[in-house]
Amino acid sequence: MFTGLIEHLGTVSHIDVDSAGATLIISDSAAILDDCHTGDSIAVNGCCLTATEFDKAEKGGWFKVWLANETLERSDLGERVVGDKLNLERAMGTHARFGGHFVQGHVDTTATIVERTPDGDSIRLKFQLPEPTPTRPSLLRYLISKGFVAIDGASLTLTEVNDSDRTFGVMLIQHTQEKITLGKKQLGAKVNIEVDMVSKYLEKSVTAALEGEGAEGGIGIRTMVEKIVEEVLVKKGLAK
């Protein structure tokens, strides 16, 4: 579990791709390796990955991760090249303040930057989600103005959501621009998107309650209401 508060920017120093996935080595990462152990989870541009090897001193501190094909398909990590900067965050500690929002590091999809507008010292960015498909339905129902979203692993507040053109926007203050990679990304660039997991669980629970799923021998709220209405209509002689 992560907070979406980026700790450090690492640098891609090695990429090895084959049919099974990819190996990534991220250097200049000593700042987050002081308490690292093999097998620890590190969010890399919002993707929860396992550190399989690491060295706290060489190359400014480096660690190695494996990217499965699912990760490559869901995220932008397959498009990174040597020299690229990546947002890094260690798993949330129980002793730390919780300043972001619950982020799993399970990227849902990518979005594309379609607008980049200066606003004083801040920057307004607008993103467009891809067309929904049967296997990857629209994520827009999980996005609301003044809600939150993880973009490349960074917890950000939504300033606007437009369902009709599948877009949403955020604002980056100057401090945030300096601390995460998003401030330097240009029009057309892809970003990793993770929506609020709590809204997903809520949607599933409400749907199950309405349809009566998951309760052995039970009926859903919708069925219950239909039965009550039917009984009332029968009593009034309006139905048989």
Side-chain angles (χ1 to χ4, degrees), residues 47-68:
C47 298
C48 178
L49 301 174
T50 300
T52 57
E53 296 179 39
F54 68 95
D55 187 293
K56 298 180 181 180
E58 186 182 13
K59 298 180 182 179
W62 61 266
F63 66 99
K64 180 186 291 187
V65 293
W66 168 253
L67 308 177

Side-chain angles (χ1 to χ4, degrees), residues 8-9 14 17 36 43 58 66 74 107 121 137 141 181 216:
H8 185 69
L9 296 181
H14 177 81
V17 182
C36 185
E58 186 182 13
W66 168 253
R74 290 272 184 174
V107 170
D121 289 337
R141 61 183 179 276
T181 59
E216 186 176 349

